[in-house]
Amino acid sequence: MKDYHPISSYPRALSSIIISVGLLAIFITFASWMLLSYPIGDAVRSYFYGADRMKSSDSPIIWEDSSASEVYGEVKTDMVDRNTSFSKTSKIAGNGSAHDSQIDEEKDLLRTGKIKPKLASDSSSDEWRTRSVDLSENQESHDLPTSSVSGSNESSAGSVDSGCNLYHGHWFYDSSGPLYTNNSCPVLTQMQNCQGNGRPDKEYENWRWRPTQCELPRFNGTTFLELMNGKTLAFVGDSVARNQMESLLCMLWQVEVPEKRGNRHMQRWYFRSKSVTIVRIWSSWLVHQTSEPFSDVPKGVVKVHLDLPDETFMQYISNFDVVVLSSGHWFVKQSVYVLNDEIVGAQLWSPPQPISMKISSIEAFGKSVETSLTAMVTHPNYTGITIVRSYSPDHYEGGGWNAGGSCTGKVKPALPAELVENGFTNIMHEKQLTGFNRAIKKSTNRSKLKLMDITDAFSYRHDGHRGPFRSPDPSKITKRSPDGRPPPQDCLHWCMPGPVDTWNELALEIIRLEYEGSFKHS
């Protein structure tokens, strides 16, 4: 029998242990580095959706003196509580009266244009804001206050995760002026031609947006055409979407004159040098609508089917590489909301018999956003970039567009003390973001959803609207009457050149980041 010496196996066992410990140390080090560099939750969301969660921001507003660029101090404004909510159900009698007190409050908002916002710092504040819309048109740097979106989404190009939030910043005066004039853009409609319509001031054309953490380059038409080489960009929405589309064409016109094509259903402009096509499709609600009789609703009253996307643009969606989508302002117009072939709500219409109204026009807007975006991110043949431009604020102060509301005399962006919180705009913005985020969770295709969150930044731009300068009519009234009544005016659509050009600077940066990546940091 041979003697057994355990000591002889020690070297081999010891070597195995050392190798195992070494491999484990390498694995732990690598795993730690991966977790620190790429948080799992963000990485997964980014990979599948290009989106992150909403992140609240409560940044102070900073005012800098226009002449000395001296910081006066930090001022925090009272922000409207965007968690304001209304009851979802009520019984509407034949006369259209609501029995639920919260629905009564919302009905008053939609009827009179007034809302009493809940302020973050003072829930009992008596500060009121007016809201209404004129929709008759169918178819050397001086720094201003810092603005921040109340929520940010990784799907909003320029999120904190990407190194910069494009929507947190301030307005500054750029003496170099706009890229075009009202005389150098043939596509500019007379309605947006504020200078041609007699507006006497011009400073509103020179204020540009500056993000806090990075640069937002001036729009460059050549860069845009090169990035979009062989591609098609479509604007889908209402007259404010048309406003943005005309702004883009005006800036591109300075580089190349396009060929106009298309028809009454789809306007098209073709830039031959790079085979770039710009398209505009009218879609008031972004979902299916019809004026044909439905149940007790007569012909002529628009029925908005909240669960069906608008086939007007969806039939072409696979042909588009970039879609800029926007809506919302038509939800103050007369309409009836249909869901699953059932009437669930109405705006400015009373049923002949009592009907259970389950949703308001504000909630209907959020549902329309969810429906239209879900249709896009689940379309089997759509692989493009969808840029959702957030709700564009109006600035009717003192009443609705037909009830004394005015933006007359505003010649510069608002100071913090001048900023009047618009409760209706805030809750519409909230519902839009809710619909946006719900659509992200349903994504099944390779398209990407991006949020261009301009609402807070543009709340300061009460100076950028047409006001009373809506036409070249020399006899139009542009000043208040002796008893103080303002003239008829438009405080929803934007002058061109003007603040609306910033939307296309942001759109170009979103497209550039998608195709090239990386911010240009300040």
Side-chain angles (χ1 to χ4, degrees):
M1 179 177 179
K2 294 183 180 179
D3 293 335
Y4 175 68
H5 298 284
I7 191 71
S8 64
S9 64
Y10 284 175
R12 180 176 300 177
L14 183 60
S15 299
S16 299
I17 292 173
I18 292 173
I19 291 173
S20 299
V21 171
L23 291 173
L24 180 62
I26 293 173
F27 173 80
I28 292 174
T29 302
F30 178 77
S32 300
W33 176 80
M34 286 293 291
L35 285 172
L36 288 172
S37 302
Y38 304 99
I40 291 175
D42 291 345
V44 170
R45 281 192 303 274
S46 177
Y47 180 81
F48 285 102
Y49 308 128
D52 189 17
R53 305 184 179 208
M54 301 298 298
K55 298 172 185 167
S56 66
S57 173
D58 188 20
S59 302
I61 291 177
I62 301 174
W63 172 252
E64 296 185 15
D65 177 70
S66 296
S67 59
S69 295
E70 176 183 355
V71 177
Y72 279 7
E74 295 185 352
V75 181
K76 284 198 175 183
T77 58
D78 293 328
M79 300 299 292
V80 172
D81 182 0
R82 286 190 174 155
N83 293 321
T84 302
S85 61
F86 300 98
S87 174
K88 291 187 177 181
T89 60
S90 69
K91 290 286 185 179
I92 305 297
N95 61 4
S97 62
H99 301 300
D100 185 276
S101 61
Q102 289 181 314
I103 288 291
D104 282 341
E105 180 181 354
E106 184 176 359
K107 294 288 183 183
D108 288 341
L109 161 64
L110 297 170
R111 183 175 63 253
T112 66
K114 293 182 178 179
I115 184 170
K116 185 174 183 179
K118 296 179 181 179
L119 301 179
S121 62
D122 182 7
S123 60
S124 63
S125 171
D126 292 327
E127 188 173 344
W128 286 69
R129 174 66 168 97
T130 60
R131 169 69 171 85
S132 190
V133 180
D134 181 357
L135 292 170
S136 59
E137 303 157 83
N138 179 32
Q139 341 241 319
E140 7 183 356
S141 80
H142 308 317
D143 290 350
L144 280 176
T146 297
S147 174
S148 170
V149 293
S150 62
S152 177
N153 206 298
E154 186 186 290
S155 55
S156 58
S159 68
V160 175
D161 291 36
S162 301
C164 176
N165 186 336
L166 287 173
Y167 315 108
H168 179 276
H170 60 272
W171 295 97
F172 72 100
Y173 190 84
D174 183 357
S175 59
S176 61
L179 296 176
Y180 64 97
T181 70
N182 61 305
N183 294 319
S184 68
C185 180
V187 77
L188 172 58
T189 57
Q190 194 63 44
M191 293 180 296
Q192 268 65 251
N193 187 356
C194 296
Q195 290 299 304
N197 292 339
R199 180 167 175 171
D201 62 298
K202 292 193 67 172
E203 281 197 356
Y204 66 89
E205 296 181 347
N206 292 4
W207 294 92
R208 291 189 59 235
W209 180 249
R210 174 181 289 159
T212 300
Q213 299 171 313
C214 58
E215 296 179 12
L216 178 62
R218 283 177 67 90
F219 186 89
N220 186 303
T222 300
T223 298
F224 178 89
L225 294 176
E226 289 175 350
L227 284 172
M228 291 295 296
N229 190 357
K231 296 180 174 61
T232 297
L233 181 149
F235 288 95
V236 178
D238 55 21
S239 57
V240 183
R242 180 191 63 206
N243 208 167
Q244 181 179 0
M245 180 272 295
E246 290 183 355
S247 164
L248 176 62
L249 287 177
C250 283
M251 291 190 285
L252 291 177
W253 211 284
Q254 313 312 306
V255 176
E256 179 182 344
V257 176
E259 302 172 13
K260 185 175 182 180
R261 301 178 178 180
N263 51 51
R264 65 187 183 92
H265 299 295
M266 181 195 295
Q267 295 177 307
R268 292 191 299 159
W269 286 265
Y270 179 69
F271 293 84
R272 183 172 293 277
S273 66
K274 297 295 180 179
S275 299
V276 175
T277 303
I278 305 297
V279 169
R280 174 185 170 246
I281 300 177
W282 178 273
S283 182
S284 310
W285 282 279
L286 300 184
V287 289
H288 177 71
Q289 58 92 15
T290 177
S291 60
E292 295 303 311
F294 181 87
S295 186
D296 291 332
V297 188
K299 183 176 182 179
V301 177
V302 175
K303 295 83 181 173
V304 181
H305 293 258
L306 299 174
D307 52 352
L308 299 174
D310 188 353
E311 66 281 1
T312 305
F313 74 90
M314 283 302 299
Q315 62 181 314
Y316 303 111
I317 195 70
S318 60
N319 298 321
F320 302 149
D321 300 284
V322 179
V323 177
V324 180
L325 205 74
S326 58
S327 65
H329 295 289
W330 276 65
F331 281 84
V332 300
K333 291 177 68 70
Q334 184 189 55
S335 51
V336 172
Y337 309 125
V338 180
L339 194 60
N340 297 321
D341 289 327
E342 175 190 356
I343 295 175
V344 294
Q347 166 69 3
L348 301 179
W349 178 80
S350 299
Q353 300 296 328
I355 298 177
S356 177
M357 296 297 187
K358 300 176 182 178
I359 66 174
S360 68
S361 64
I362 294 173
E363 292 167 319
F365 169 54
K367 180 61 178 176
S368 73
V369 172
E370 178 184 354
T371 295
S372 56
L373 293 181
T374 297
M376 297 180 74
V377 299
T378 58
H379 192 289
N381 298 320
Y382 177 57
T383 59
I385 305 168
T386 302
I387 301 173
V388 180
R389 196 257 300 143
S390 67
Y391 191 80
S392 177
D394 67 73
H395 292 90
Y396 291 99
E397 296 182 11
W401 70 272
N402 58 351
S406 172
C407 53
T408 300
K410 307 297 185 182
V411 297
K412 291 182 179 180
L415 297 168
E418 298 172 327
L419 189 63
V420 182
E421 280 296 329
N422 188 326
F424 184 88
T425 291
N426 289 344
I427 196 168
M428 290 290 277
H429 180 253
E430 175 193 346
K431 294 300 181 184
Q432 185 181 34
L433 295 188
T434 298
F436 177 90
N437 288 322
R438 286 175 176 171
I440 286 175
K441 296 176 182 178
K442 301 176 183 179
S443 176
T444 59
N445 62 21
R446 293 187 293 118
S447 70
K448 297 192 177 180
L449 203 53
K450 304 291 182 180
L451 177 67
M452 184 197 297
D453 201 342
I454 56 88
T455 306
D456 282 355
F458 274 71
S459 65
Y460 289 93
R461 295 311 307 269
H462 59 186
D463 58 319
H465 300 291
R466 300 189 300 159
F469 301 98
R470 302 179 299 170
S471 77
D473 181 3
S475 62
K476 63 179 175 290
I477 302 173
T478 61
K479 296 182 179 179
R480 291 181 179 270
S481 63
D483 61 359
R485 288 179 298 171
Q489 55 196 283
D490 179 0
C491 302
L492 169 64
H493 300 90
W494 302 92
C495 290
M496 292 172 52
V500 69
D501 298 328
T502 301
W503 295 355
N504 290 311
E505 289 185 336
L506 290 165
L508 173 55
E509 185 68 354
I510 291 172
I511 294 169
R512 188 191 67 79
L513 287 170
E514 182 60 34
Y515 292 154
E516 294 183 349
S518 77
F519 283 96
K520 297 178 180 179
H521 287 273
S522 299

